[in-house]
Amino acid sequence: MFAFLFINSPYFMLSIESYVESFFLNHAKRNILIAYSGGVDSQVLLHCLASLKNQNRLKSLLRVCHVDHGLSENSAQWQDFATKQCQQLNIPLEIVCVNVKVQAQKSLEALARDARYNALKSSATDGDLIVTGHHSDDQVETFLLALKRGSGLKGLSAMQQEMALGQQLLVRPLLNFSRADIERYAKKHQLSWIEDESNIDERFDRNFLRHQILPKLTQRWPSINSTIARSAEHCFEAQQLLDELAQQDLVKSQFSKNILDTAALLALTQARFNNTLRYFLSVHNILMPSSQQLQQIRLQLSAEGDKSPMVQLANCCLRRYKNELHLTDIFKDLSSWQETVNLAELTETKTLALPDNLGNLTFSVDEAKEHQKHCWQATILAPKPEQIVSISFVHQNPKCSPQYRQHSRSLKKVLQELAIPPWLRKRTPFLFYDGVLVAVIGQFVCKEYLGNETSEGLVIAWES
């Protein structure tokens, strides 16, 4: 983190350039992608970097990305403005149009921000620095919004000067400067910029803070920006300590990437349990659960051993099976899905797409090939011409004789023997001839339907 430089100096014009030049000395070999809206912040950022480049004080190659959210009737004019500015500075420009769709429980501001960062990540190449014009007033607004939401230390850490964004690094070289500093720079250099009409709409929380609250706070306490930045930095350091603790606890309670040890989790205090689970979910880019949801998860982990409880979060599920806690997607109900497959006189490979991203089934008369990753295959007796071949995800619990068992048993018991979690049993395709179970695809073939050298065989494969 760079120290705050010369902001109260009468040479504030020089201080911004000097600071930015010093900032990028640590990234001299990385190219720069400038996030450019055309507003005063990004205009000053663009001008400053272009000036440093022209003076040979910056070695990095510069590119600009302008994201059109499609939310303003003036967006076409903003695209034209961005194009002219980049042409004047001879800097390559990419314009990315995104479609911001309204979603329940997410603000338009958050949706637009997510779309913008996704566009920047897609525009960036390996090793690029994604550079934004955020300043200290933005930092204060972010901190107060996090406080309003009841965020923990991670939220109150607000914005960092450097943070990972996908495979790239997001940097904010102007974060130690105020909006007033940036506007003085723009006026001094006679820059023009866009005024987004949405920035005065106080229905948005950030605008309400900007126009109604922060002027009063600054009038009362002129150094409020720097003191809030200091508090955010303290929160960030405390969060780093919590992350280090979570990493240690996770090592002791993680079976695999998506599976945790419930006994190890329950041995933790509630606070450490919450910390570990939040960290685990953050590694998977899952939206953070509320305190109530974390309490519910811990309660479900304590349920009777033969139960398989599930807690659904915003974009995933946590499911317990025996002594394991599994992180899964939110799955569709497949109980009504069924397909018939015409395998009469099969001469070439036939493919059936399974629902809910479960992959493809292929049927062929070729010999079974060497197993590939994520592929199960088996040779089975071909159906008789008059038999109806069907695939579904439900069964009537028939008796079955898997090829590896001596005696038959009910299908439910066999699936339990195989230690298949209940939710995966509902996502396992079953193959039937005239309603009689032939195979549990991905697991076994019933003995009486196993292919052999003297019978006409059929190769079935599941690429999951």
Side-chain angles (χ1 to χ4, degrees):
M1 185 68 70
F2 285 94
F4 195 69
L5 298 181
F6 309 126
I7 298 306
N8 294 319
S9 164
Y11 302 104
F12 57 83
M13 295 302 108
L14 180 60
S15 70
I16 287 183
E17 281 196 359
S18 296
Y19 185 86
V20 172
E21 179 185 15
S22 299
F23 183 92
F24 284 104
L25 286 177
N26 290 333
H27 306 288
K29 296 183 179 180
R30 303 184 71 164
N31 295 328
I32 291 173
L33 179 67
I34 303 169
Y36 181 75
S37 67
V40 65
D41 311 331
S42 63
Q43 185 72 318
V44 165
L45 178 65
L46 175 62
H47 181 275
C48 179
L49 290 171
S51 176
L52 290 171
K53 181 70 174 175
N54 289 337
Q55 297 172 57
N56 203 29
R57 295 162 62 187
L58 181 68
K59 303 299 182 183
S60 305
L61 294 177
L62 302 180
R63 290 191 302 123
V64 173
C65 180
H66 174 78
V67 180
D68 182 356
H69 301 88
L71 298 174
S72 172
E73 59 184 13
N74 298 315
S75 60
Q77 297 177 30
W78 300 345
Q79 287 189 31
D80 291 340
F81 180 84
T83 300
K84 291 176 182 177
Q85 294 297 312
C86 290
Q87 286 175 347
Q88 290 174 9
L89 296 169
N90 196 29
I91 298 177
L93 167 68
E94 180 180 3
I95 295 175
V96 181
C97 298
V98 297
N99 183 17
V100 181
K101 296 181 179 180
V102 176
Q103 298 178 22
Q105 298 180 335
K106 288 203 76 173
S107 70
L108 188 61
E109 292 170 281
L111 293 169
R113 182 189 62 244
D114 292 345
R116 180 166 61 254
Y117 281 130
N118 286 334
L120 290 168
K121 286 190 290 186
S122 66
S123 179
T125 57
D126 290 344
D128 276 357
L129 295 174
I130 298 175
V131 186
T132 69
H134 290 108
H135 46 70
S136 64
D137 294 62
D138 295 321
Q139 176 81 306
V140 172
E141 293 163 9
T142 301
F143 182 91
L144 293 177
L145 287 171
L147 197 63
K148 185 267 296 183
R149 290 191 297 266
S151 299
L153 289 174
K154 192 168 187 176
L156 294 174
S157 299
M159 295 185 290
Q160 300 303 307
Q161 280 197 309
E162 299 184 9
M163 62 171 286
L165 185 64
Q167 300 301 313
Q168 281 75 36
L169 187 66
L170 173 68
V171 299
R172 302 178 174 103
L174 302 182
L175 198 58
N176 285 339
F177 294 86
S178 69
R179 180 180 287 111
D181 296 322
I182 288 169
E183 290 177 351
R184 283 196 295 268
Y185 180 105
K187 291 174 182 176
K188 176 70 175 181
H189 290 274
Q190 298 181 336
L191 303 181
S192 55
W193 61 85
I194 290 168
E195 293 288 359
D196 186 343
E197 70 278 1
S198 68
N199 286 339
I200 62 173
D201 187 347
E202 293 184 7
R203 290 177 299 175
F204 296 117
D205 291 340
R206 188 174 289 273
N207 290 339
F208 171 73
L209 286 173
R210 183 175 302 167
H211 299 296
Q212 295 293 333
I213 304 302
L214 285 178
K216 295 178 181 178
L217 291 177
T218 305
Q219 184 179 11
R220 176 84 177 193
W221 301 293
S223 61
I224 190 71
N225 279 19
S226 59
T227 55
I228 286 182
R230 190 162 62 248
S231 292
E233 183 65 21
H234 292 329
C235 291
F236 178 68
E237 290 178 356
Q239 183 61 51
Q240 287 181 306
L241 291 175
L242 288 177
D243 287 346
E244 290 177 13
L245 179 62
Q247 290 168 8
Q248 296 171 15
D249 287 339
L250 198 55
V251 167
K252 300 175 184 177
S253 58
Q254 192 163 23
F255 286 139
S256 66
K257 180 180 178 181
N258 294 332
I259 304 176
L260 301 180
D261 180 350
T262 58
L265 286 175
L266 289 173
L268 300 172
T269 64
Q270 180 71 56
R272 287 179 70 165
F273 174 90
N274 292 353
N275 185 50
T276 303
L277 207 53
R278 285 193 179 106
Y279 181 81
F280 171 69
L281 294 173
S282 72
V283 169
H284 291 274
N285 297 313
I286 304 297
L287 294 175
M288 285 298 100
S290 66
S291 298
Q292 288 182 332
Q293 286 175 313
L294 288 168
Q295 291 176 359
Q296 181 65 19
I297 293 167
R298 189 179 179 95
L299 181 64
Q300 295 292 359
L301 291 185
S302 304
E304 295 179 13
D306 60 343
K307 304 294 183 183
S308 298
M310 181 270 289
V311 175
Q312 181 172 321
L313 305 178
N315 51 349
C316 72
C317 288
L318 287 169
R319 307 171 191 264
R320 196 198 75 178
Y321 177 60
K322 296 185 177 179
N323 66 328
E324 299 174 345
L325 180 65
H326 293 248
L327 174 68
T328 77
D329 292 332
I330 300 173
F331 300 132
K332 292 181 180 178
D333 180 4
L334 304 179
S335 59
S336 62
W337 188 93
Q338 180 173 312
E339 288 286 335
T340 57
V341 186
N342 183 7
L343 299 180
E345 299 181 0
L346 185 66
T347 59
E348 59 184 24
T349 300
K350 184 181 287 290
T351 301
L352 174 66
L354 295 175
D356 204 23
N357 301 313
L358 280 173
N360 296 315
L361 292 182
T362 59
F363 303 86
S364 67
V365 293
D366 298 332
E367 292 185 3
K369 300 178 181 179
E370 185 178 344
H371 280 256
Q372 299 177 357
K373 190 178 182 181
H374 306 305
C375 181
W376 174 91
Q377 60 181 346
T379 301
I380 60 177
L381 289 179
K384 297 176 181 178
E386 68 275 11
Q387 284 184 311
I388 297 174
V389 180
S390 61
I391 307 288
S392 74
F393 293 91
V394 295
H395 59 84
Q396 301 302 317
N397 196 27
K399 289 276 189 178
C400 63
S401 300
Q403 75 254 29
Y404 59 84
R405 281 185 115 262
Q406 292 296 320
H407 305 289
S408 63
R409 199 173 188 190
S410 70
L411 181 53
K412 283 185 178 179
K413 293 295 185 182
V414 171
L415 295 178
Q416 290 174 1
E417 283 179 357
L418 292 171
I420 303 173
W423 63 90
L424 291 184
R425 296 172 206 166
K426 298 177 181 179
R427 296 174 62 78
T428 298
F430 303 103
L431 174 66
F432 300 93
Y433 290 172
D434 283 342
V436 177
L437 181 68
V438 174
V440 176
I441 298 173
Q443 299 296 332
F444 64 83
V445 176
C446 295
K447 282 181 181 178
E448 57 269 38
Y449 290 98
L450 277 173
N452 55 56
E453 296 179 355
T454 60
S455 61
E456 186 176 352
L458 179 70
V459 177
I460 180 171
W462 181 17
E463 297 179 16
S464 59

